[in-house]
């Protein structure tokens, strides 16, 4: 048999049009890195809060801890640069785990990333709105509504494509980076703080010790969330994808490390400690730039970026869900793409779950901020250990050092994950402990169901050639008009046999007789069967009739009017919908045709 | 052509089974009269409240006003008894107006009845719950939820059929009638009140005048709402319907008049006036039976019946909507009946609108209590004047008196309607003034739309005989498996030509090649067309292809898996649903077949 390929649009192999919807390096930063870069707003704060428990003296450890985090960041950046090259179809930690650590580990990696992405959206939007309501307290009662509005905006932009979201958010990204750099540079140049601050003396409630430093380190690691997003979404980059993604990853690492260390230096320089109701970043900004308009600009930009950090999840999760679906671990609908390569179902899932979280928590997200770090760090750990195995298997030049680097990084992130989970288990860590296994179990269940379907569908075998068999077309009728005529014309063109079925009820005898009279006057040449149902049912009598037919293929042809205006849909008598819904329990083929009842004057019927 | 009638169940003409779902006289009282009988709880109260404005002396007019209302009740009962005989298909005021007063009046009658029914449900449920929360104030915050629960219960019972609702509510009805009769009889026998009451001296703020008495009469007329319900729902009665319905109507009139006059006599006898927070009926009960357990029984029964008064609307509105739909004034789906003759869509509409009203008003229905009287009285007036015309046209024996009776009744009810509207326009009467014309305009619009459809459908004309034409069946494919085989087998049994269409995207080249290889290895004898879409769309390339086909009848056969368990529906890849939804804009016939993927082991394919 001839198979003809009729391409529409450009020939396969040169999808230049597709690149317009993809990301360059700057776009990658804007679409996928805001999560990581927004960490500047709360990462240093988390470190300072923990260290302050041991008094003002312990605050001197802020910079060393920050530098340690920056080193870990460097390890992660290098590691993920390699992951990008090894897994150009994306997936990040999921791809690495699947290849080197086995399916169970891969499911854990996938599930933890999903949890992280969902929490990130909710937390980011809530944090942005929280900063807004701090500035304008009269908006506080509308907090949840504001969160949902912001979420809807970001979702809407992402539904128009990841490249569009990247373009939309480039300006805030660039302004933010510039603002933070300005704060750092000016602060480094300055001799003394622009605004003399309160100089709280912090009371020590603990002693400085290894565990305290470890906690400070672990809490500060929340600044590293989002570093993996670029590796998850490599397919979203322009060709050559690997190189663009790698450059974006390195750019992100460099920017983030610079900003982290810069802020850490300023914290030390200006002896900044925790002040209730005032963030550490705002103190640094105030000390560096004074409390004039520049200060408010930086604050405003931070608010915007906190909310837009949610965008990272919209860039990462749909691609991850696509890969999981292609491996039969998630419903296949996540693998569908729409116009502009938008993964509609992944985006919708993300928006809906985040909205639910926001509503349930009433926008109170402070406790959940460190939680999404747990999911990300599980992913970090699995991907690093997976890469260790990658080096052990492939053994390229200098593999010892690479394996050692990844191994150390893996241990560090693993330790951080454990510390965060243990310290936060009461405040919400239990959520992760429960949700993660549930999600993994869910994906296992999906995978098993698809395996069973594949057996039933005889996937992989070559079927026998299809052969035609006797068919009958059943047409439900109740009046004689143009619609009936058209339906019978289609039915006669299809089946070997056509039967018109009219269901009658008590109280309808007059109408039933009139119908038969009209039918006999018309004489369409089609067999008419009347089925009487004393129980006034519409669909069941028809089902009883069709299940009694002996042909191999039974079709029921349902013809309905198609009104011109949308509101007129209510005028349809629903009989067709009721019959179609009831027939779904059977094995018949349900065919529906539409007869337009617009304002066009009626022409001659198909003769 | 032979037409064969294959009856299932009993033969037409002897639908004995249907009568089981219909009402007898007592059932008619229980299903359709609670609205009227619950008026005892607030009718006399309304009279007393108005008269009290002119001081204690004016309260002496209570009994005369009550007797006047009872006389009007007698006129209405006789009148509706005649309406029932003249319109055995139901509709009440709508039927009368349609026949004798023209379509615009009929639409006004129908719309006012609908508004009344909806308001009645909301007001009754709210009144019952309000009485409950007066007895148990701790339930007050849950008022709206309680209203919705009660509404859901009544709706649920009615969805199982009007006869079932009648049977369910017979006991409360009988107990209520018995309780009120007990109060009246004991009160008449007693010399002095069982509980000496406070004897408030009411300050006069107005003088007794004709207008005051008219207002008292008009407000008291709220006791007459519900009298029309039986005439609206004659088809719901057992055969002989007219006789059963007439008996029920007379029984209702007699009971209601007795109770009204009885309570009125007791109000006068025990000199009862308005007391804040205590209803007139409860004062009468207390005076008659004391404040022991009998008092609480009467109160409790009244609460139950107030809530169940909503049931009258569930009995009346669906039948009315059915008639309106048959006349093309409402969407035809209101004419559909389900198992046990339940008008599902009418009941659902009533439940939903009442629920919305309850939620919006937060259960605060006191102001709306008299409003639904307006709609009913418009109906009364139109039906009485319609009957006058009926007598003028048919002129049976004694038509002078009958016409005079109905004419007087019509003027009285018309005056009452005007007085109520004018006095209550600020407190919500404007709602009726706006809603009624809107509803009438809506029904006009529906009617015009159906008239246009009828022109397009060439209703009333005999069509030409239907002729078969060339057809093509398009089958979207993307893998080679058992499902594909079965779909092609069906397609080959149907159309003159079969085409398999495979939509490919960039990034899918590997899959596309593998598919073509499998297809050629299979060699099913069906033409395969590949359509490339660089924009990753699922449905649009297919639509472009099918709209380019030249056959007269184009079918698209969509085959999908049908999982065994309901939760597995999420595992379907949605491609079929997307394609079907998109194809609805076109003129192709959309056919859907299902392939069961249960746990049954795979058998040999249809060879």
């Amino acid at each position: 048999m001839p198979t003809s390929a009729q391409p529409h649009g450009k020939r396969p192999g040169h999808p230049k049009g597709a690149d317009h919807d993809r990301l360059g390096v700057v776009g990658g930063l804007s679409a996928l890195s805001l999560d990581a870069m927004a960490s500047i707003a709360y990462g240093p704060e988390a470190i300072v809060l923990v260290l302050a428990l041991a008094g003002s003296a312990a605050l001197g450890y802020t910079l060393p801890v920050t530098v340690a985090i920056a080193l870990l960041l460097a390890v992660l950046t290098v590691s993920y640069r390699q992951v990008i090259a090894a897994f150009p179809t994306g997936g990040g930690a999921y791809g690495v785990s699947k290849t080197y650590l086995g399916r169970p580990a891969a499911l854990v990696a996938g599930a933890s990333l999903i949890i992280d992405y969902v929490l990130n959206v909710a937390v980011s939007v809530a944090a942005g709105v929280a900063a807004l309501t701090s500035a304008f307290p009269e908006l506080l009662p509308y907090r949840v509504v504001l969160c949902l509005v912001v979420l809807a905006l970001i979702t809407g932009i992402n539904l128009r494509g990841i490249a569009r979201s990247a373009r939309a958010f480039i300006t805030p990204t660039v302004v933010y980076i510039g603002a933070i750099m300005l704060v750092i540079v000016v602060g480094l140049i300055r001799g003394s703080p622009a605004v003399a601050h309160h100089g709280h003396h912090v009371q020590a409630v603990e002693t400085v010790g290894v565990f305290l430093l470890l906690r400070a380190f672990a809490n500060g690691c929340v600044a590293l969330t989002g570093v993996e997003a670029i590796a998850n979404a490599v397919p979203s980059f322009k060709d050559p994808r690997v190189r663009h993604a790698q450059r974006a990853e390195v750019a992100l690492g460099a920017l983030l490390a610079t900003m982290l260390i810069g802020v850490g230096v300023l914290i030390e320089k200006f002896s900044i400690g925790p002040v209730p109701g005032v963030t550490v970043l705002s103190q640094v900004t105030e000390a560096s730039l004074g409390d004039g308009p520049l200060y408010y600009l930086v604050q405003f930009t931070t608010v915007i970026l906190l909310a837009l950090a949610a965008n990272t999840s919209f860039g990462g999760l749909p691609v991850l869900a696509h890969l999981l679906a292609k491996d039969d671990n998630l419903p296949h609908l996540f693998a569908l793409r729409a116009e502009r390569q938008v993964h509609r179902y992944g985006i919708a899932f993300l928006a809906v779950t985040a909205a639910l979280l926001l509503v349930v928590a009433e926008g109170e997200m402070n406790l959940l901020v460190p939680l999404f770090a747990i999911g990300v760090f599980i992913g970090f750990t699995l991907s690093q250990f997976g890469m260790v195995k990658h080096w052990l298997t492939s053994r390229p030049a200098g593999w010892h050092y690479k394996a050692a680097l990844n191994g150390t990084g893996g241990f560090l992130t693993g330790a951080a994950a454990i510390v965060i989970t243990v310290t936060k288990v009461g405040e919400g860590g239990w959520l992760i402990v429960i949700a993660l296994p549930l999600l993994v179990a869910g994906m296992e269940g999906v995978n098993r169901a698809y395996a069973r379907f594949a057996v039933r569908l005889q996937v992989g075998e070559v079927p026998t050639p299809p052969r035609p068999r006797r068919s009958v077309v059943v047409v439900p009728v109740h009046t004689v008009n143009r619609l009936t005529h058209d339906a019978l014309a289609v039915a006669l063109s299809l089946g070997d046999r056509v039967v018109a079925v009219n269901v009658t009820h008590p109280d309808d005898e007059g109408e039933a007789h009139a119908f038969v009279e009209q039918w006999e006057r018309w004489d369409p040449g089609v067999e008419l069967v009347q089925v009487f149902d004393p129980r006034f049912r519409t669909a069941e009598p028809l089902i009883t009739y069709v299940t009694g037919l002996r042909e191999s293929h039974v079709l029921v042809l349902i013809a309905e009017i198609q009104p011109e205006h949308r509101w007129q849909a209510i005028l349809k008598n629903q009989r067709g919908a009721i019959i179609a819904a009831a027939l779904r329990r059977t094995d018949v083929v349900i065919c529906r045709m539409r007869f337009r009842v617009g304002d066009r004057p009626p022409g001659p019927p198909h003769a």
Side-chain angles (χ1 to χ4, degrees), chain A:
Chain A
M1 279 296 126
T3 65
S4 46
Q6 294 165 355
H8 293 236
K10 297 196 187 291
R11 290 192 169 282
H14 298 273
K16 283 234 170 67
D19 255 8
H20 177 70
D21 297 318
R22 293 207 172 118
L23 304 171
V25 174
V26 180
L29 285 180
S30 159
L32 295 163
S33 316
L34 300 188
D35 181 10
M37 290 203 275
S39 325
I40 304 296
Y42 46 77
E45 173 121 16
I47 301 172
V48 167
L49 278 173
V50 173
L51 289 177
L53 293 170
S56 302
L59 289 176
Y61 286 98
T62 308
L63 187 56
V65 170
T66 309
V67 170
I69 292 175
L71 285 173
L72 181 55
L73 171 61
V75 173
L76 285 173
T77 305
V78 170
S79 171
Y80 272 100
R81 197 176 164 280
Q82 293 156 344
V83 168
I84 289 170
F87 294 91
T89 49
Y94 171 70
V96 176
S97 307
K98 189 175 66 164
T99 312
Y100 293 110
L101 300 175
R103 229 173 67 82
L107 290 186
V108 171
S112 52
L113 280 172
I114 290 175
I115 291 175
D116 161 63
Y117 282 139
V118 172
L119 281 174
N120 174 46
V121 173
V123 169
S124 301
V125 169
V129 168
L132 186 70
T133 55
S134 320
F136 302 99
E138 57 270 21
L139 291 175
L140 198 60
Y142 307 104
R143 188 170 48 183
V144 178
V145 174
L146 281 172
C147 286
L148 294 177
V149 167
V150 172
L151 178 62
L153 279 171
I154 301 179
T155 308
I157 294 180
N158 272 283
L159 279 174
R160 304 190 62 70
I162 193 173
R164 214 166 270 222
S165 82
R167 283 194 287 276
F169 300 147
I170 278 184
T171 310
T173 309
V174 167
V175 172
Y176 174 79
I177 297 174
I180 300 295
M181 290 304 190
L182 185 71
V183 167
I184 294 173
V185 166
V186 172
L188 288 175
I189 292 174
R190 258 186 198 287
S192 58
V195 170
H197 68 94
H198 317 274
H200 275 104
H201 196 81
V202 184
Q203 209 54 26
V205 297
E206 297 185 24
T207 53
V208 181
V210 173
F211 191 60
L212 185 80
L213 290 176
L214 204 60
R215 277 168 60 199
F217 173 81
N219 276 17
C221 275
V222 82
L224 301 180
T225 60
V227 167
E228 81 294 342
I230 291 176
N232 286 337
V234 177
S236 304
F237 281 85
K238 286 181 162 116
D239 289 319
R241 297 180 199 181
V242 169
R243 203 175 308 168
H244 278 119
Q246 283 179 326
R247 285 182 191 163
E249 183 80 50
V250 170
L252 170 61
L255 278 168
L256 192 56
T258 310
M259 293 196 285
L260 271 174
I261 295 181
V263 170
V265 166
L266 290 183
I267 288 176
E268 186 110 351
K269 177 169 178 179
F270 297 129
S271 305
I272 286 175
V275 171
V278 184
T279 65
V280 161
L281 180 62
S282 79
Q283 289 183 59
V284 168
T285 312
E286 204 178 32
S288 180
L289 301 176
D291 52 8
L294 273 180
Y295 167 79
Y296 287 103
L297 175 70
V298 175
Q299 289 295 93
F300 185 61
T301 309
T302 309
V303 166
I304 301 270
L305 214 86
L306 274 173
L308 296 184
N311 202 40
T312 302
S313 295
F314 282 99
L317 182 132
V319 179
L320 176 66
H322 178 110
L323 292 166
L324 284 165
K326 278 242 179 287
D327 293 336
D328 288 343
N329 293 320
L330 279 183
H332 287 167
L333 53 87
F334 287 108
L336 282 179
R337 271 173 298 194
E339 186 74 54
R340 283 184 287 267
Q341 306 175 50
V342 171
H343 292 92
R344 282 210 185 124
Y345 292 97
I347 289 176
F349 165 78
L350 192 52
V352 167
T353 31
L356 281 173
L357 270 180
L358 282 166
V359 169
V360 164
E362 292 174 23
E364 276 276 12
M365 282 302 183
N366 294 328
L367 295 176
L368 291 175
V369 163
L371 283 184
F372 63 82
I374 301 177
V376 176
F377 274 73
I378 293 176
F380 284 163
T381 311
L382 287 170
S383 69
Q384 304 253 37
F385 286 139
M387 288 307 281
V388 168
K389 201 163 167 204
H390 170 72
W391 301 131
L392 289 174
T393 1
S394 59
R395 304 206 176 212
W399 65 271
H400 292 97
Y401 302 105
K402 296 180 178 178
L405 195 72
N406 285 134
T408 320
F411 274 114
L412 283 174
T413 53
I418 292 171
V419 171
I420 298 176
T421 312
V422 164
T423 51
K424 296 285 178 187
V425 71
E427 297 163 37
W430 57 267
L431 199 96
I432 310 292
V433 172
I434 291 177
L436 194 64
L438 273 181
L439 200 45
V440 172
M443 293 199 274
E444 236 338 275
V446 169
N447 194 280
R448 274 199 298 256
Y450 277 127
R452 279 202 302 275
F453 293 172
V455 171
R456 272 292 274 133
L457 290 170
Q458 296 171 342
V459 168
E461 306 169 26
V462 177
T464 57
R467 292 240 155 68
R469 302 191 117 203
R470 283 197 64 75
S471 62
V472 59
V473 182
V474 173
V475 186
V477 296
H478 60 279
T479 57
V480 172
N481 58 24
R482 176 78 180 268
L483 181 63
T484 322
H485 166 278
D486 287 4
L488 290 184
V490 170
L492 286 169
S493 311
L494 291 181
D496 302 307
R497 186 164 84 98
V498 178
V499 180
V501 175
N502 174 233
V503 178
T504 59
H505 302 135
D507 293 351
D508 286 346
E509 285 97 7
E511 291 176 28
H513 281 305
F515 169 67
V516 172
E517 272 182 29
Q518 277 187 303
W519 184 275
E520 288 176 341
R521 204 165 32 215
W522 182 26
D523 192 21
V526 171
E527 177 189 355
L528 172 67
V529 169
Q530 283 194 301
V531 178
F532 175 76
D533 183 60
R535 291 164 72 178
F536 292 92
R537 296 172 300 177
T538 308
E540 285 79 0
L542 194 68
I543 292 182
T544 310
Y545 177 78
V546 296
T547 46
L549 292 170
R550 270 179 291 151
E551 277 87 350
S552 309
H553 299 312
V554 178
L555 270 84
V556 176
L557 178 63
I558 299 167
E560 296 177 296
I561 57 171
Q562 171 102 321
E564 195 184 19
H565 306 287
R566 296 200 73 170
W567 71 267
Q568 290 171 343
I570 194 73
L571 299 181
K572 288 162 53 165
N573 67 15
Q574 300 300 322
R575 213 177 267 121
I578 292 173
I579 293 174
L583 284 172
R584 273 189 211 117
R585 296 183 257 126
T586 68
D587 282 333
V588 309
V589 180
I590 305 169
C591 298
R592 301 182 78 166
M593 61 178 282
R594 296 156 303 293
F595 181 92
R596 298 175 189 269
V597 280
D599 291 329
R600 210 175 11 127
H606 287 300

